Amino acid sequence: MSTPTHPSYRWSGEDLDLDAYLARIGFEGDRAPTVATLRRLVYLHTTTIPFENLEIVLGRPVLLDVKSMQDKMVRQRRGGYCYENNALFAAVLERLGFGVIGLGGRIFIGPDNGLLPATHAVLRVATAEDDRAWLCDVGFGSGPMEPIELTPSDGELTIGGWRFRLELGADELGAQVGALHHFSRNGWLNRRTFTMTPQYRIDYEVGSHYVSTSSHSPFTTRPIAQKFHPEVHHLLDGVTLNTQYPDGTGETRDVDRADLPEILSETFDIDLDDADATQLVEQPWPADQRP
């Protein structure tokens, strides 16, 4: 993979406080751009830094420059959604000497929700060891917690107990596309697709602006947070808390709005200051006004 030189095509790894980021996720040891290093980085980022959209609900913009992202996700120990997590991770990989290409994807919430906009970010990563390419997505909220080799395969992947299936092919218009399926309480579901067309930081900014401002985006209507572990996946959607396990079982319960700051802290490792906690609980959400 050739390395672009113009800053517009790069991920601003030079602006990153690499030591602070690695300390945040608990990474120690060899930093060489190898497959083993990549696996460890993906695992630690995915299981340490939560998925969350609270900036939007609190009325603040989502900023994708490296300094803002590391201030939020590293120094403040907060989380982010796909564009934040994967853009920060791309800067980390670039700084360490990996080859990184951004890709765009589409999310599928259920089997019959139709075609949604391409508003998901994933990464195609190359190491210094060989010519293999790897799919990395630390910003989906529910894994996978390892890179997946981008090669045709009909087999099922078990990663940390969770089951995935990667399919590579073409869409109805002939464009090369990949689909990542998850096994859950509803069986096998196609949760996201992605094309091989490169996406750059400016493309991520456009997608992020849409999902953080559009009334059609779920992120503008209610708080959403996720925390993913080898043994359990937690999802907060408004005032509904879902807990799922690798075998497909799980439970769902409604929670009191006043308990959200405590739930965010104890379950998602998101600690809000007093002002943000009060605002989250007391201010109306756009979902409150919808019929």
Side-chain angles (χ1 to χ4, degrees), residues 24 48-52 77-79 224-229 233-237 240-242 260 262-271:
R24 165 77 165 102
T48 301
I49 300 181
F51 180 105
E52 51 116 324
R77 304 184 69 82
R78 288 274 307 282
I224 298 173
Q226 299 185 73
K227 196 70 186 295
F228 192 58
H229 301 282
H233 170 229
H234 299 291
L235 166 63
L236 177 70
D237 187 343
T240 301
L241 183 62
N242 294 281
L260 288 181
E262 181 180 0
I263 292 170
L264 288 170
S265 178
E266 294 182 353
T267 303
F268 299 92
D269 295 328
I270 299 171
D271 292 315

Side-chain angles (χ1 to χ4, degrees), residues 21-285:
Y21 168 83
L22 295 177
R24 165 77 165 102
I25 66 170
F27 180 94
E28 297 177 348
D30 189 3
R31 300 183 182 185
T34 63
V35 174
T37 300
L38 181 63
R39 285 198 175 104
R40 188 63 178 158
L41 288 167
V42 171
Y43 176 86
L44 289 173
H45 187 119
T46 304
T47 57
T48 301
I49 300 181
F51 180 105
E52 51 116 324
N53 71 330
L54 299 179
E55 293 298 280
I56 303 169
V57 178
L58 294 170
R60 296 193 288 258
V62 175
L63 303 176
L64 296 185
D65 63 282
V66 168
K67 292 183 178 180
S68 295
M69 290 189 295
Q70 71 180 7
D71 181 64
K72 177 189 174 189
M73 291 189 282
V74 176
R75 295 193 176 92
Q76 299 181 42
R77 304 184 69 82
R78 288 274 307 282
Y81 59 17
C82 68
Y83 289 109
E84 297 171 279
N85 275 293
N86 281 316
L88 179 64
F89 197 64
V92 172
L93 296 179
E94 181 181 82
R95 178 74 171 271
L96 291 171
F98 292 91
V100 188
I101 293 177
L103 302 176
R106 301 180 191 272
I107 299 299
F108 292 82
I109 300 173
D112 300 313
N113 66 336
L115 191 65
L116 296 176
T119 55
H120 183 59
V122 300
L123 302 175
R124 180 186 186 275
V125 181
T127 73
E129 291 183 303
D130 51 45
D131 294 331
R132 288 180 294 174
W134 301 87
L135 174 70
C136 295
D137 187 357
V138 299
F140 190 74
S142 59
M145 59 183 64
E146 287 186 9
I148 294 178
E149 185 178 357
L150 283 168
T151 185
S153 173
D154 296 326
E156 178 183 314
L157 302 165
T158 301
I159 302 174
W162 300 90
R163 298 162 64 187
F164 300 90
R165 191 173 69 243
L166 176 66
E167 296 179 355
L168 299 178
D171 64 14
E172 294 183 1
L173 300 179
Q176 188 179 9
V177 65
L180 190 61
H181 301 256
H182 296 205
F183 181 81
S184 69
R185 67 176 73 181
N186 297 313
W188 282 102
L189 293 176
N190 178 12
R191 294 302 309 278
R192 77 202 90 166
T193 63
F194 55 93
T195 67
M196 302 302 171
T197 304
Q199 299 285 295
Y200 306 106
R201 285 187 294 123
I202 187 63
D203 300 315
Y204 281 11
E205 290 176 8
V206 172
S208 180
H209 176 74
Y210 173 84
V211 297
S212 65
T213 62
S214 172
S215 61
H216 298 289
S217 169
F219 295 145
T220 65
T221 66
R222 60 198 185 275
I224 298 173
Q226 299 185 73
K227 196 70 186 295
F228 192 58
H229 301 282
E231 71 283 357
V232 64
H233 170 229
H234 299 291
L235 166 63
L236 177 70
D237 187 343
V239 291
T240 301
L241 183 62
N242 294 281
T243 304
Q244 297 190 44
Y245 303 99
D247 63 1
T249 63
E251 56 264 0
T252 300
R253 65 183 178 93
D254 292 331
V255 299
D256 292 333
R257 189 155 166 165
D259 294 334
L260 288 181
E262 181 180 0
I263 292 170
L264 288 170
S265 178
E266 294 182 353
T267 303
F268 299 92
D269 295 328
I270 299 171
D271 292 315
L272 300 178
D273 62 28
D274 291 342
D276 284 350
T278 299
Q279 182 179 348
L280 180 67
V281 170
E282 295 183 355
Q283 78 168 12
W285 303 336

